[in-house]
Amino acid sequence: MNTRRALLAAALAVGAAAAVAQPATPAAPAPPEKVLRYAFLVAETGFDPAQLSDLYSRIVTAHIFDALYNYDYLARPFKLKPNTAAAMPEVSEDFRTWTVRLKPGTYFADDAAFKGRRRELVAEDYVYALKRFYDPAVKSPLYSTFRQEGLLGLQALRDDALKHKRPFDYDKPVEGVRALDRYTLQFKLEGPRPRFLYNLASGDTYGAVAREVVEHYGDRIMEHPVGTGPFMLDRWRRSSLIRLVRNPGFREVVYEAQPNADDAEGQALLARFKGRRLPMIDAVEISIIEEGQPRWLSFLNREFDLMFGLPEEYAEVVVPHGHLAPNLEKQGMRLARSLASDRTMYYFNMEDPLVGGYTPEKVALRRAIGLATDIPTEIASTRKHQAIPAQSVVSPMAWGYDEHFKSENSDFDLPRAKALLDTYGYVDKDGDGWRDQPDGKPLVLEIASSPDSRTKPYDELWKRDMDKLGLRIRIRTAQWPENLKSARAGQLMIWQLGFNNTTPDAQIGLELMYGPASGGQNLGRFKLERYDEIYRRMLVLPDGPEREALLREAQKLLTAYMPQKFRVHRILNDLAQPWLIGYRRPYFNQIFWSYVDIDTAKQPQR
């Protein structure tokens, strides 16, 4: 028995030793990180929603901060739906009171400002975020946008801070925006605002902000965005690289959308992704590459997953006749092509002693410059037919846009431009070949521009057009953020830029000429009493014939006084690599990162 026990013990010992000696089963490799890589063509300015107005910074903040409502990703032209709100708002019959209830259980991304505790989103965060637009110390370019909504009591808070030169009182309750309880938010307006909802669907600017974060980071808040959205800032090298990562504490949100019944692509995306948890990717890396050639070559070399805005100089090769070139289609690339709800324009500084003013000779100078601007050549040669002429301030897809509307704004008529200048005394008085001012002083137009190859063809067009008109120009170059800063300070004479609609309404474009918005959205400081009256009346009217008639009058006034020359509406061409799935460019907001996926099996090894 003892021998048998000994043999059994020995056998067990050998077996145990053998088991120990067996190599461990290797752990399954972690799935590769899904990183969306693409490039901006203009540098960002920062990531504090209250301090922003530029498109590229707002693309980033739209994915960090949450609005109460969002645009449906697949619905066209648009459909609004609750985001952090539990339902659509309760609205009084007179459109003056808007009540919103939040979903409980939404949390800010973890941050040192919260001192180790998990911070839930509450109604008071939206109250605080809205008050920041009124704080004089913030210097928000969007202050005028919210002021015009007539939120009761907020302007008085701002006036008090300015009058007594003391800090803005964030703790003082106001009727215009208040938290009725932890999850209920109410807005009260001085007059009807039928479209106030659009303000509540812009997380890029009016997203929830935690007071603790702003107070913790102070003057560095542009570098430390902390929101409740799907992504959080991981790394930032100013004007070079922006890296964001998935917010690990992001609430459970699944892919849900309502594409149009006749939208085959949208229906296919919904069938593929419905119910998937968002976001579907792990990170986003954005490079800043201002020059078109290196951006395009980086995409061709598969360093980028998305070509966000094909450089126009490649349009004839990449999208001949509006279709993706066969060689690119064979590689599995996909084209997303759309007429943007935007316009390019140049504005005149209406306070500038040369081009500003409202007297007949000043109006004649601006209108002559507008008539001498060769938009047909710009579209054909510089933009390679990737645009249509703009007739007015109203952008495609916005309420009030009529594709059959025609105005003098789009006219190119050099003889008429010359006749206007001759009539009002802008002639060559000293024989040097250039027109002078009516009093004989030299006439030199100063055009703000940027020192990059993308802008150079437009500068050359400017010079060619003005040479033909007999006007001397001087190009003043600076990086885009610096030009924006100078524009807000009223230091530029003329500047060409683009404007993207962030709501489906014409009013947001009209604000760029609204007198009280001067120095904010109204960079050109145009002030005309009748125009401002129209603007205020349109704010309170529901959409309909009366409001449309006022819009047409506003369009005529802008054509007559020419504070801005509207040039084109752009046709945008975005290209996706074969492994990037689900991309669509949004019309009115900037949100798409959460809705795309990356097939890492098809992606080249980096």
Side-chain angles (χ1 to χ4, degrees), residues 43-46 51 53-54 139 141 222 238 347 349 448-450 476 478-492 495 497 519-520 522-523 525:
E44 74 296 337
T45 56
Q51 298 187 58
S53 65
D54 65 290
K139 299 178 181 177
M222 285 282 265
R238 190 180 290 272
Y347 77 81
N349 184 344
S449 185
S450 300
R476 164 182 167 169
Q479 296 297 330
W480 199 92
E482 292 305 312
N483 276 332
L484 180 60
K485 188 183 297 182
S486 298
R488 287 178 180 160
Q491 296 169 350
L492 303 183
W495 188 27
L497 65 164
N522 181 357
L523 296 175
R525 292 165 160 73

Side-chain angles (χ1 to χ4, degrees), residues 177-383:
V177 56
R178 55 189 179 140
L180 302 184
D181 58 40
R182 185 174 178 83
Y183 301 115
T184 307
L185 183 67
Q186 189 174 80
F187 304 91
K188 286 203 169 184
L189 315 173
E190 64 186 22
R193 294 292 187 272
R195 291 157 295 277
F196 183 70
L197 178 60
Y198 296 151
N199 294 291
L200 310 183
S202 300
D204 53 342
T205 51
Y206 183 34
V209 175
R211 184 171 181 174
E212 307 97 293
V213 174
V214 177
E215 292 178 350
H216 180 78
Y217 290 108
D219 292 342
R220 296 178 295 133
I221 190 60
M222 285 282 265
E223 307 165 25
H224 294 279
V226 180
T228 60
F231 291 90
M232 47 196 289
L233 185 64
D234 180 44
R235 263 195 335 266
W236 180 30
R237 294 201 303 269
R238 190 180 290 272
S239 303
S240 176
L241 178 71
I242 308 165
R243 175 178 163 87
L244 300 100
V245 295
R246 180 207 302 263
N247 174 4
F250 185 58
R251 64 192 178 279
E252 185 170 348
V253 177
V254 299
Y255 195 111
E256 189 59 73
Q258 296 183 13
N260 299 355
D262 60 352
D263 180 1
E265 180 191 61
Q267 292 289 347
L269 289 174
L270 178 61
R272 177 168 188 160
F273 292 125
K274 186 174 181 179
R276 285 273 300 273
R277 187 162 183 174
L278 304 180
M280 295 186 282
I281 58 174
D282 302 307
V284 181
E285 292 181 359
I286 303 163
S287 302
I288 313 302
I289 304 178
E290 295 180 345
E291 301 294 337
Q293 185 184 51
R295 267 190 298 120
W296 173 238
L297 291 177
S298 295
F299 179 78
L300 279 184
N301 291 336
R302 304 190 168 196
E303 296 167 27
F304 292 144
D305 310 301
L306 174 66
M307 184 76 238
F308 189 68
L310 176 74
E312 290 163 330
E313 59 265 35
Y314 296 105
E316 292 174 339
V317 175
V318 178
V319 285
H321 309 294
H323 299 284
L324 187 62
N327 64 311
L328 299 176
E329 192 172 15
K330 286 177 184 176
Q331 295 178 47
M333 294 180 185
R334 289 185 295 275
L335 171 67
R337 180 176 168 87
S338 59
L339 176 62
S341 186
D342 79 349
R343 63 193 170 281
T344 66
M345 77 280 190
Y346 55 81
Y347 77 81
F348 298 96
N349 184 344
M350 296 297 287
E351 295 177 355
D352 183 86
L354 178 59
V355 299
Y358 303 84
T359 55
E361 73 277 7
K362 298 296 187 181
V363 173
L365 175 60
R366 293 193 298 272
R367 289 183 68 164
I369 293 170
L371 286 167
T373 301
D374 189 351
I375 300 299
T377 296
E378 175 183 333
I379 291 175
S381 65
T382 307
R383 297 193 180 274

Side-chain angles (χ1 to χ4, degrees), residues 43-118:
E44 74 296 337
T45 56
F47 309 116
D48 176 19
Q51 298 187 58
L52 304 178
S53 65
D54 65 290
L55 170 65
Y56 294 96
S57 299
R58 290 189 294 106
I59 291 174
V60 176
T61 56
H63 293 89
I64 294 175
F65 297 93
D66 267 320
L68 291 159
Y69 299 92
N70 266 346
Y71 291 86
D72 187 294
Y73 183 62
L74 298 180
R76 294 293 183 269
F78 76 95
K79 180 181 176 63
L80 286 167
K81 62 181 185 179
N83 184 35
T84 59
M88 297 305 287
E90 296 173 13
V91 187
S92 63
E93 210 168 295
D94 62 1
F95 295 106
R96 293 178 187 229
T97 304
W98 297 67
T99 306
V100 180
R101 289 177 174 80
L102 274 61
K103 300 172 189 171
T106 298
Y107 291 88
F108 283 91
D110 291 341
D111 189 83
F114 302 131
K115 299 178 180 178
R117 64 188 178 90
R118 200 173 184 209

